[in-house]
Amino acid sequence: MLLFFTLGLFVHFVFFVSIFDIYFTSPLVHGMTPQFTPLPPPAKRLVLFVADGLRADALYELDENGNSRAPFLRNIIMYEGSWGISHTRVPTESRPGHVALIAGFYEDVSAVAKGWKENPVEFDSLFNESKYTWSWGSPDILPMFAKGASGDHVYTYSYDAKTEDFGANDATKLDTWVFDNVKDFFDTARNNQSLFSKINEEKIVFFLHLLGIDTNGHAHRPSSRDYKDNIKKVDDGVKEIVSMFKHFYGNDGKTTFIFTSDHGMTDWGFHGAGHPSETLTPLVTWGAGIKYAQKVSAQQFDDAFLKEWRLENWKRQDINQADIAPLMASLIGVPFPLNSVGILPVDYLNNTDLFKAESMFTNAVQILEQFKVKMTQKKEVTLPFLFTPFKFQVVQDLVASLLTFPLSHFVGYLLVFTVGIEVLVLSFFYRYMLTAGLIVFAGWPFLTKLWTQAKITSLSWTVFSLLLAVFPLMPVVGRTPDISLVMGAGLLVLLLSLFAVPSLIKRKGSLAKEELLVHLLQILSTVLSMYVVYSTNSSLLRKQGLPLMNQILSWAVLASSLVVPLLSSPALFQRLFSILLSLMSTYLLLSTGYEALFPLVLSCLMFVWIHMEQETLQQSGISCKKKLASIQFSYTMDITQFRQLYLDDIRRAFFLVFFLVTAFFGTGNIASINSFELASVYCFLTVFSPFMMGALMMWKILIPFVLVMCAFEAVQLTTQLSSKSLFLIVLVISDIMALHFFFLVKDYGSWLDIGTSISHYVIVMSMTIFLVFLNGLAQVLTTKKLRLRGKPKSHHM
């Protein structure tokens, strides 16, 4: 058993770690051959303006007076160049946005190792492929592209990082600094022969990073006057820079201008996720190699932006953000960035069909080169028999083998299995899926012969299934404490306890007296729990704090909850009932409202489940040697009583997994521990102690788990099935769920989406590993016997 436990932990630990190796290893490869269009490019130089944090609608829309906030750029759209929307990808942050623009690939997920602050792997970019690049702007962006550049041809000019102050009165000074320094740079070049020579070379890039709009958006929101006025300042600055370039180069017509943004911003001044206000950014291009403005009579888009912006008569051409990198490379004739996945937007090009065709071919070869290198690398680290080219024949054989099954049986089994697994997976996103599953469970006896064979048992199963189905519909966050429900749950427990007293009194012998004493002790524990809950709540309402005696009683009940059941009889239902009473006493202390009823209803369904499985066993023709009343839990089992696995055992294992997930999401779960109220632990302590409070709330989560696992121990015993066999089926089902979440792990999207997808996988994998621990705990609680006098021993059948 120890070897099995150790091996299981190791295997699932490997699975757990594997997601970081598979999903969060850099996808970038190196060693590709540079690809460039062999024909002469239309431009000698390119000027890239990136207005950080600028939304598409903020630039294109007209103000309340019907005027444009950026008249120069709007004039470009209507008369000189091409325009559209650049669709960014999440996470909509500055670093991945600029990498997509300048290097042509999206978020490198291995950046998680660097806290998302920088790209941990060197990459090729337009700047690296250029003859020279000069850049001005934020110290957070510019060094990233100079760091990985080969040689000394990427020059950066940044202001002090302290200047990026969200609380500053005028963030437009960040953009003014850039425009002023570019002007000073060209003034200097006129008197510096070496610099003058460089900026008159071909294949050069000028990059202006404008951070003022983003800073004002964070500080004042995009709807603010500061944000909108900053757009006007940027438009004026771009106009001045364009005029300066034309004058400096003597209107030679060899300069291409591109104006865009790295990401947008929400109405409340944030970005990072996938809202359209964050992913839709402007793109305006003009100059050498760019098509002139095109007037059209109609355009087909799914949105109403054209009409809102009054640009419905000017051709709009949307592209993906990474497509801008190959566009810029083709315009100045440099190799496409080696790691780029962008697709050349040929509709922006004003050139011959031959040039467009050659550029498209170069783009395709450049992307193919990455595939070839990636395939070679994968082949080198993969066993030969596991790395084979895809053949349509691994498909024909599979279909042929599946067709050998009777179609009706195959479709039925596949449908039931698929729906069951999907319900479990969807329950992680939508708790009400558990309600749907429990409603189906309620109808199970009526779909079989169980209803005619055991009407009372079947009716009980249906009633408790429907009662349990209510809990996933109840709210998790924002529950209003209702002590009356806790007291009601306590009274129900007492009522059930009192029903068992007469049968214990009738029994004779020293063991019977001992068992009666234990039972009365548990009744007393329930009464004390009810008293402590009521007394503590009253004291706190009077603002008198937690009474010391209540605190002592609470910890005493908690300490005894795992010991007292071991003093009870190992008879199946007596031991299970004893476990319920002890754990319910603790659960009452940790409850504030309706959740106090959850373990009680869950346990009632578990008791009926044991009876139902006994009935299904008889229905299938498997002989039952003992009645439920005479079965006892035993630590050492007679393996001659075990039977082989049947198809129905898969259903039993599925029931267990479903009940475990229901226990997990019934009232609260570890995935949303902030949904638990601190009032849950006020019977134990009121002084803030995160670790102690967290441990108590964790135990509250585990109690329903323990109840389900103890019932499962009884199911294994009554159905004469080896615990290892049935438990392995459970692990297989759990691992299929884990595999499902494995493929749902995201290495794209907002960082919140990525983190949530990892959390789901971790929860399922942890639950799989945790089943091993729960199985061991359930075995101890059900099979171990302590005596009030004498040595402890384990009972045998």
Side-chain angles (χ1 to χ4, degrees):
M1 186 64 184
L2 180 61
L3 178 62
F4 172 74
F5 178 81
T6 305
L7 182 61
L9 281 180
F10 174 75
V11 170
H12 286 89
F13 177 76
V14 171
F15 286 162
F16 170 72
V17 175
S18 68
I19 66 166
F20 297 98
D21 178 61
I22 295 172
Y23 284 101
F24 298 96
T25 299
S26 177
L28 301 186
V29 292
H30 301 86
M32 291 79 71
T33 303
Q35 305 291 327
F36 60 91
T37 305
L39 300 177
K44 290 184 177 180
R45 66 200 73 90
L46 181 139
V47 183
L48 173 63
F49 301 94
V50 177
D52 204 307
L54 176 60
R55 294 163 45 150
D57 59 348
L59 179 73
Y60 293 141
E61 69 185 4
L62 303 179
D63 62 19
E64 55 275 10
N65 298 319
N67 299 320
S68 173
R69 298 189 187 97
F72 175 75
L73 289 172
R74 192 172 181 91
N75 186 73
I76 294 292
I77 291 172
M78 299 174 69
Y79 301 106
E80 294 187 39
S82 296
W83 75 285
I85 292 178
S86 170
H87 294 263
T88 70
R89 285 193 185 179
V90 285
T92 46
E93 301 285 350
S94 292
R95 179 186 54 81
H98 280 87
V99 170
L101 285 169
I102 299 167
F105 66 89
Y106 298 102
E107 177 66 287
D108 182 354
V109 292
S110 67
V112 68
K114 295 287 186 178
W116 308 105
K117 294 298 183 183
E118 61 176 293
N119 208 82
V121 179
E122 290 188 359
F123 58 91
D124 192 28
S125 70
L126 175 78
F127 295 173
N128 186 48
E129 296 293 351
S130 67
K131 185 73 175 288
Y132 296 106
T133 292
W134 290 271
S135 56
W136 295 265
S138 169
D140 297 327
I141 299 298
L142 305 188
M144 177 169 51
F145 297 98
K147 177 182 177 182
S150 58
D152 185 22
H153 67 284
V154 178
Y155 304 98
T156 62
Y157 304 91
S158 302
Y159 38 73
D160 193 296
K162 296 179 181 179
T163 309
E164 301 174 7
D165 185 2
F166 292 152
N169 293 328
D170 184 16
T172 59
K173 63 184 180 182
L174 299 175
D175 301 334
T176 303
W177 185 96
V178 171
F179 293 134
D180 290 344
N181 275 265
V182 173
K183 296 173 187 175
D184 292 342
F185 172 81
F186 276 89
D187 287 340
T188 302
R190 288 188 174 91
N191 302 315
N192 185 323
Q193 187 58 41
S194 174
L195 180 57
F196 185 84
S197 176
K198 287 181 180 180
I199 62 176
N200 277 281
E201 295 275 2
E202 296 181 349
K203 308 181 190 305
I204 60 175
V205 177
F206 300 92
F207 171 43
L208 284 70
H209 176 241
L210 308 169
L211 188 61
I213 294 175
D214 183 75
T215 305
N216 269 318
H218 285 302
H220 307 289
R221 309 290 185 270
S223 59
S224 67
R225 177 54 54 191
D226 303 83
Y227 184 89
K228 295 174 180 178
D229 287 347
N230 204 150
I231 296 175
K232 180 65 170 67
K233 287 280 185 71
V234 166
D235 184 69
D236 292 339
V238 170
K239 180 180 180 180
E240 292 178 6
I241 296 298
V242 170
S243 176
M244 183 200 68
F245 264 86
K246 289 182 178 180
H247 178 72
F248 187 90
Y249 289 106
N251 288 311
D252 63 354
K254 292 296 182 179
T255 306
T256 301
F257 299 94
I258 293 183
F259 179 92
T260 187
S261 174
D262 54 347
H263 57 76
M265 186 173 290
T266 63
D267 292 339
W268 51 94
F270 290 90
H271 55 81
H275 191 273
S277 62
E278 300 168 89
T279 61
L280 303 183
T281 59
L283 174 63
V284 183
T285 63
W286 69 99
I290 296 294
K291 278 187 178 179
Y292 288 104
Q294 304 174 66
K295 296 202 71 173
V296 293
S297 57
Q299 302 188 67
Q300 297 297 323
F301 286 96
D302 294 333
D303 53 61
F305 293 144
L306 286 171
K307 189 174 182 180
E308 293 175 9
W309 301 335
R310 299 183 188 177
L311 290 171
E312 56 265 47
N313 295 325
W314 283 268
K315 187 175 182 180
R316 165 183 157 190
Q317 302 179 74
D318 289 7
I319 64 173
N320 292 322
Q321 192 175 48
D323 299 342
I324 297 176
L327 173 64
M328 294 190 294
S330 67
L331 287 168
I332 58 175
V334 300
F336 286 38
L338 296 176
N339 304 112
S340 172
V341 296
I343 299 174
L344 178 67
V346 290
D347 288 341
Y348 272 81
L349 295 176
N350 180 22
N351 215 311
T352 64
D353 290 341
L354 176 61
F355 181 86
K356 293 179 182 178
E358 287 286 357
S359 298
M360 292 170 64
F361 177 75
T362 302
N363 188 194
V365 172
Q366 170 260 322
I367 294 176
L368 180 62
E369 282 291 313
Q370 295 182 73
F371 168 76
K372 289 180 178 179
V373 172
K374 189 70 175 179
M375 184 175 68
T376 301
Q377 293 179 354
K378 194 70 176 176
K379 194 172 184 179
E380 289 175 351
V381 296
T382 306
L383 295 175
F385 67 91
L386 293 178
F387 189 91
T388 56
F390 178 79
K391 296 180 180 179
F392 184 71
Q393 183 68 36
V394 178
V395 178
Q396 290 179 333
D397 293 344
L398 177 61
V399 173
S401 63
L402 292 178
L403 291 177
T404 59
F405 290 94
L407 185 60
S408 59
H409 290 180
F410 170 73
V411 173
Y413 291 146
L414 181 62
L415 182 62
V416 172
F417 181 78
T418 302
V419 170
I421 293 295
E422 287 302 316
V423 167
L424 289 173
V425 172
L426 287 173
S427 66
F428 278 71
F429 303 95
Y430 314 103
R431 292 172 61 233
Y432 59 79
M433 292 303 298
L434 294 174
T435 298
L438 287 167
I439 292 174
V440 174
F441 279 16
W444 172 48
F446 303 98
L447 300 176
T448 63
K449 297 179 181 179
L450 288 173
W451 170 248
T452 57
Q453 180 178 323
K455 286 186 170 59
I456 296 178
T457 303
S458 298
L459 185 60
S460 300
W461 169 268
T462 300
V463 170
F464 286 116
S465 294
L466 293 176
L467 284 176
L468 193 63
V470 174
F471 287 94
L473 299 177
M474 301 294 284
V476 174
V477 180
R479 292 191 300 257
T480 303
D482 190 345
I483 299 302
S484 62
L485 290 175
V486 181
M487 302 304 291
L491 289 174
L492 288 175
V493 173
L494 282 178
L495 189 62
L496 289 174
S497 304
L498 293 175
F499 275 131
V501 172
S503 62
L504 290 173
I505 293 177
K506 292 178 182 179
R507 297 178 61 183
K508 297 181 179 180
S510 59
L511 286 178
K513 292 181 179 179
E514 184 177 306
E515 291 167 7
L516 177 60
L517 180 61
V518 170
H519 189 74
L520 293 175
L521 180 62
Q522 291 181 313
I523 292 177
L524 176 61
S525 179
T526 302
V527 173
L528 288 175
S529 294
M530 294 173 63
Y531 165 76
V532 169
V533 169
Y534 182 80
S535 174
T536 300
N537 182 67
S538 300
S539 179
L540 292 176
L541 288 176
R542 294 192 301 268
K543 298 183 179 180
Q544 294 178 353
L546 171 62
L548 179 60
M549 181 56 66
N550 288 10
Q551 188 175 24
I552 294 173
L553 288 174
S554 297
W555 286 106
V557 170
L558 174 62
S560 65
S561 62
L562 291 177
V563 178
V564 174
L566 305 182
L567 299 171
S568 64
S569 168
L572 191 142
F573 282 110
Q574 284 183 250
R575 176 55 67 91
L576 290 178
F577 191 56
S578 178
I579 293 171
L580 171 62
L581 292 180
S582 291
L583 294 182
M584 273 302 298
S585 297
T586 302
Y587 203 86
L588 290 173
L589 294 171
L590 292 168
S591 298
T592 61
Y594 77 89
E595 79 271 21
L597 296 165
F598 179 72
L600 188 58
V601 177
L602 179 64
S603 296
C604 290
L605 183 60
M606 294 298 99
F607 288 147
V608 179
W609 182 30
I610 298 169
H611 282 283
M612 291 289 284
E613 293 299 350
Q614 186 81 347
E615 296 293 341
T616 58
L617 208 63
Q618 293 175 355
Q619 188 184 75
S620 61
I622 301 174
S623 61
C624 297
K625 296 182 179 180
K626 287 188 177 183
K627 294 183 178 181
L628 287 176
S630 62
I631 297 178
Q632 292 188 340
F633 285 108
S634 175
Y635 187 75
T636 57
M637 301 293 294
D638 183 2
I639 61 173
T640 61
Q641 296 183 2
F642 295 153
R643 59 174 175 80
Q644 64 181 13
L645 289 172
Y646 291 100
L647 187 62
D648 208 33
D649 293 323
I650 299 178
R651 193 260 313 151
R652 293 185 178 97
F654 176 79
F655 273 22
L656 170 65
V657 177
F658 189 93
F659 288 138
L660 286 173
V661 174
T662 302
F664 195 62
F665 289 103
T667 59
N669 58 81
I670 195 174
S672 58
I673 196 151
N674 61 321
S675 67
F676 290 94
E677 300 174 0
L678 289 179
S680 297
V681 300
Y682 283 173
C683 289
F684 294 87
L685 72 166
T686 52
V687 178
F688 184 70
S689 175
F691 294 105
M692 188 62 69
M693 289 178 169
L696 288 169
M697 290 190 286
M698 192 70 68
W699 180 236
K700 181 180 180 181
I701 298 170
L702 290 180
I703 287 176
F705 274 93
V706 174
L707 294 173
V708 173
M709 285 304 298
C710 289
F712 187 57
E713 283 290 313
V715 169
Q716 293 177 90
L717 185 60
T718 58
T719 56
Q720 304 169 3
L721 185 63
S722 166
S723 61
K724 290 183 179 179
S725 300
L726 200 53
F727 190 67
L728 284 175
I729 299 176
V730 173
L731 287 179
V732 169
I733 295 175
S734 300
D735 284 344
I736 292 175
M737 288 180 61
L739 187 63
H740 203 120
F741 281 107
F742 176 83
F743 288 110
L744 289 176
V745 170
K746 293 183 178 180
D747 54 1
Y748 62 90
S750 68
W751 299 334
L752 177 62
D753 293 337
I754 293 173
T756 301
S757 69
I758 296 175
S759 298
H760 284 158
Y761 179 76
V762 169
I763 289 171
V764 177
M765 286 302 300
S766 299
M767 190 172 76
T768 304
I769 299 171
F770 202 55
L771 282 177
V772 180
F773 163 75
L774 286 175
N775 187 57
L777 179 59
Q779 282 191 352
V780 171
L781 287 175
T782 56
T783 62
K784 197 70 175 175
K785 171 65 176 174
L786 298 179
R787 299 291 300 275
L788 293 177
R789 299 180 301 275
K791 296 181 179 180
K793 64 178 181 178
S794 297
H795 280 239
H796 301 263
M797 290 184 66

